[in-house]
């Protein structure tokens, strides 16, 4: 069964081009040129990955990302015509897993879609049973790799696929420093991330917020300056 990809972009040429490339990879594509038309598809929830443009005619892409994150954890890739780092950081902070700046090469977007879906599948119950340690824990933090649940003091915390992956890597190596380079390799497995350490920094900051942690006096994620992070 092919994965279902949602595309929302008011630039019809771009949306149509992405649709062609993704369909050539045997993905099922749901394409919309505005957020309003896409709402029934979003509310249905039967999506494996979303590609959202930031500048939509009827709704800000950031708001749409936040709306999706209220109920769904599937990967979200943001498209932006801007090059400001603040736009990229905003998207990641609101729950996006990746961003692509226009103009872009369609094959790069396809590669990123594949990378996100690989990671999302890796931590789903169906693909994990009997393959990896079912639960990782540290202090009052519990991470279940089969149910994709994270509990802090018994309370459930909603994590994006990227946040879950990073926390899983850190917990699996508790007590040891995981370098930024290793996090890129293990979590993304894609070379184009290797020069962009700010991506990891934003996700770590968002994780700390959800864990009620701080960088100054960390209970869970400690920064080892110039090297990486450790639990």
């Amino acid at each position: 069964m092919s994965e279902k990809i949602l595309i929302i972009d008011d630039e019809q040429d771009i949306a149509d081009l992405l649709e062609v490339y993704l369909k050539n990879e045997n993905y099922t594509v749901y394409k919309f040129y505005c957020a309003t038309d896409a709402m029934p598809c979003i509310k249905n929830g039967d999506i494996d990955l979303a590609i959202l443009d930031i500048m939509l005619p009827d709704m800000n892409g950031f708001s749409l990302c936040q709306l999706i994150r209220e109920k769904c954890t599937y990967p979200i890739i943001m498209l932006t015509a801007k090059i400001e780092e603040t736009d990229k950081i905003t998207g990641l902070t609101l729950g996006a897993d990746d961003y692509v700046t226009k103009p872009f090469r369609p094959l790069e977007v396809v590669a990123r879609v594949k990378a996100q879906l690989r990671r999302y599948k890796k931590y789903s119950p169906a693909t994990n049973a009997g393959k990896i340690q079912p639960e990782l824990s540290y202090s009052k933090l519990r991470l279940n790799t089969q149910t994709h649940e994270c509990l802090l003091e018994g309370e459930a915390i909603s994590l994006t696929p990227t946040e879950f992956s990073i926390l899983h890597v850190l917990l699996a190596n508790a007590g040891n420093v995981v370098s930024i380079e290793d996090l890129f390799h293990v979590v993304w497995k894609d070379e184009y991330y290797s020069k962009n350490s700010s991506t990891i920094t934003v996700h770590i900051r968002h994780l700390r917020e959800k864990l009620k942690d701080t960088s100054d006096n960390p209970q869970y994620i400690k920064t080892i300056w110039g090297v990486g992070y450790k639990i």
Side-chain angles (χ1 to χ4, degrees), residues 8-53:
I8 308 177
D9 194 325
D10 64 323
E11 294 187 62
Q12 297 188 17
D13 290 345
I14 291 178
D16 294 347
L17 185 62
L18 286 176
E19 179 185 32
V20 170
Y21 273 80
L22 290 169
K23 282 188 172 181
N24 284 341
E25 296 292 330
N26 296 317
Y27 293 118
T28 298
V29 178
Y30 300 100
K31 178 186 65 178
F32 301 94
Y33 302 129
C34 67
T36 302
D37 291 344
M39 281 303 173
C41 186
I42 292 173
K43 291 178 179 178
N44 180 47
D46 189 20
I47 297 294
D48 295 296
L49 181 144
I51 300 175
L52 311 177
D53 186 27

Side-chain angles (χ1 to χ4, degrees), residues 52 59-72 76-78 90-97:
L52 311 177
M59 187 175 188
N60 186 291
F62 294 136
S63 300
L64 187 57
C65 174
Q66 198 169 21
L67 178 67
I68 292 173
R69 276 290 169 257
E70 290 177 359
K71 294 185 178 181
C72 302
I76 296 175
I77 297 176
M78 305 292 293
T90 298
L92 293 170
T93 301
L94 292 174
D97 297 280

Side-chain angles (χ1 to χ4, degrees), residues 159-170:
L159 300 180
T160 68
T162 298
E163 292 165 357
F164 188 95
S165 299
I166 291 173
L167 190 56
H168 175 260
V169 172
L170 293 175

Side-chain angles (χ1 to χ4, degrees), residues 87-105:
D87 286 318
K88 300 173 182 178
I89 292 174
T90 298
L92 293 170
T93 301
L94 292 174
D97 297 280
D98 194 7
Y99 55 82
V100 179
T101 302
K102 299 177 182 177
F104 52 77
R105 292 177 298 174

Side-chain angles (χ1 to χ4, degrees), residues 180-199:
I180 292 176
E181 183 179 353
D182 286 343
L183 276 175
F184 277 131
H185 177 72
V186 174
V187 175
W188 281 284
K189 300 182 177 65
D190 290 289
E191 294 180 0
Y192 52 76
Y193 280 99
S194 61
K195 301 298 182 182
N196 193 356
S197 61
S198 64
T199 302

Side-chain angles (χ1 to χ4, degrees), residues 84-167:
E84 286 86 351
E85 190 71 13
T86 53
D87 286 318
K88 300 173 182 178
I89 292 174
T90 298
L92 293 170
T93 301
L94 292 174
D97 297 280
D98 194 7
Y99 55 82
V100 179
T101 302
K102 299 177 182 177
F104 52 77
R105 292 177 298 174
L107 287 176
E108 180 186 0
V109 178
V110 171
R112 295 193 183 207
V113 166
K114 290 181 178 180
Q116 291 293 336
L117 288 172
R118 277 200 306 270
R119 188 169 73 259
Y120 190 52
K121 283 182 176 181
K122 182 177 180 181
Y123 295 108
S124 68
T127 57
N128 277 306
K131 291 185 179 181
I132 59 177
Q133 189 175 345
E135 184 173 283
L136 298 167
S137 64
Y138 179 84
S139 186
K140 299 177 182 179
L141 179 64
R142 300 286 185 274
L143 195 75
N144 191 306
T145 56
Q146 292 187 348
T147 62
H148 207 280
E149 290 179 314
C150 179
L151 300 178
L152 180 64
E153 298 183 358
E155 296 291 329
I157 296 175
S158 177
L159 300 180
T160 68
T162 298
E163 292 165 357
F164 188 95
S165 299
I166 291 173
L167 190 56

